[in-house]
Amino acid sequence: VQLVESGGGLVQPGGSLRLSCVASGFPFKSYIMNWVRQAPGKGLEWVSYISSGGSPTYYADSVRGRFTISRDNAKNSLYLQMNSLRAEDTAVYYCARRVGYCGGDCDTLDPWGQGTLVTVSS
Amino acid sequence: ETVLTQSPGTLSLSPGESATLSCRASQSVSGFYLAWYQQKPGQAPRLLIYGASTRASGIPDRFGGSGSGTDFTLTISRLEPEDFAVYYCQHYGVSPPYTFGQGTKLEIK
């Protein structure tokens, strides 16, 4: 089971970036997926959630209206389109699979990708 | 939204000692929805405990989770050098679906 993110980089405030996460080793189309971010030296912040079929989707208040999560199950890929980027969006962005252990009752994130760094700065 | 508060912020211990990390929820939560993660510098978080007390696959038995309601604990016995890291508790809720504590840094004394 592996998740590999890409697409991070340096972008100016107000700019856009699209992150990708390619999954392997499990039936991607059957799993809910998430993006979680971590600002430098800070804790973890959940960003967005997408159901196995692509809908529904959910967003943190801090990114709603600016970020869009999507997936292509045929390509085993998860995406995060980030628009109107701000300095406070600077972070490592992780994709993470939702797993329902305990017969589906214990909701966890497992595994996580290695992350991709997004830096918003002029 | 359920807020998770972890304590202490930093814990300084020596290899071989035992560590007790706390996670307090702002309201009573089901243990099914409480998990713990370990994060080492430069690495992604790794699932340690789910359902408040069940070790994830491959996690050594020196890691243990307990608690219910608003108070949950991660215990690490016989600390190994590789256990020194940052630990996060996480709750699955309705909105937002995932919230995290601010983390406890376990450092070598």
Side-chain angles (χ1 to χ4, degrees):
Chain A
V1 176
Q2 190 174 19
L3 299 169
V4 179
E5 302 95 333
S6 61
L10 175 63
V11 60
Q12 292 188 337
S16 299
L17 213 54
R18 188 196 196 205
L19 306 184
S20 299
C21 169
V22 176
S24 60
F26 66 98
F28 177 75
K29 65 181 181 181
S30 299
Y31 285 84
I32 292 166
M33 297 296 296
N34 292 268
W35 288 99
V36 179
R37 69 183 180 183
Q38 185 171 38
K42 303 297 184 181
L44 301 168
E45 178 190 18
W46 169 80
V47 172
S48 187
Y49 162 125
I50 186 167
S51 296
S52 57
S55 179
T57 59
Y58 302 103
Y59 299 92
D61 290 344
S62 57
V63 307
R64 188 176 295 114
R66 300 187 297 123
F67 289 12
T68 302
I69 190 171
S70 63
R71 64 192 296 162
D72 185 336
N73 286 341
K75 296 182 178 180
N76 288 347
S77 294
L78 174 72
Y79 306 103
L80 186 67
Q81 177 66 43
M82 304 185 296
N83 297 332
S84 303
L85 283 162
R86 307 166 180 168
E88 55 265 35
D89 295 319
T90 294
V92 174
Y93 285 73
Y94 297 100
C95 63
R97 182 183 70 168
R98 180 268 183 190
V99 179
Y101 292 122
C102 314
D105 289 332
C106 296
D107 208 294
T108 61
L109 299 173
D110 182 39
W112 300 51
Q114 87 289 349
T116 188
L117 176 62
V118 172
T119 302
V120 184
S121 175
S122 55
Chain B
E1 175 182 346
T2 300
V3 176
L4 300 178
T5 302
Q6 293 186 239
S7 62
T10 302
L11 185 57
S12 300
L13 293 170
S14 301
E17 293 189 300
S18 294
T20 300
L21 287 65
S22 173
C23 177
R24 178 162 290 178
S26 59
Q27 58 189 302
S28 183
V29 301
S30 167
F32 282 130
Y33 299 144
L34 199 288
W36 290 91
Y37 299 83
Q38 177 193 65
Q39 187 179 33
K40 297 179 180 180
Q43 296 186 17
R46 176 177 71 147
L47 177 66
L48 290 178
I49 300 286
Y50 61 85
S53 61
T54 303
R55 283 187 302 277
S57 176
I59 302 302
D61 62 5
R62 62 178 183 275
F63 289 88
S66 63
S68 63
T70 60
D71 292 301
F72 297 87
T73 300
L74 175 68
T75 302
I76 314 170
S77 58
R78 307 180 307 277
L79 283 166
E80 299 283 346
E82 62 266 28
D83 298 336
F84 291 90
V86 179
Y87 292 84
Y88 294 94
C89 57
Q90 170 248 306
H91 174 251
Y92 171 75
V94 175
S95 180
Y98 300 100
T99 55
F100 297 90
Q102 82 279 18
T104 290
K105 181 179 181 181
L106 178 58
E107 65 176 23
I108 298 177
K109 186 174 182 180

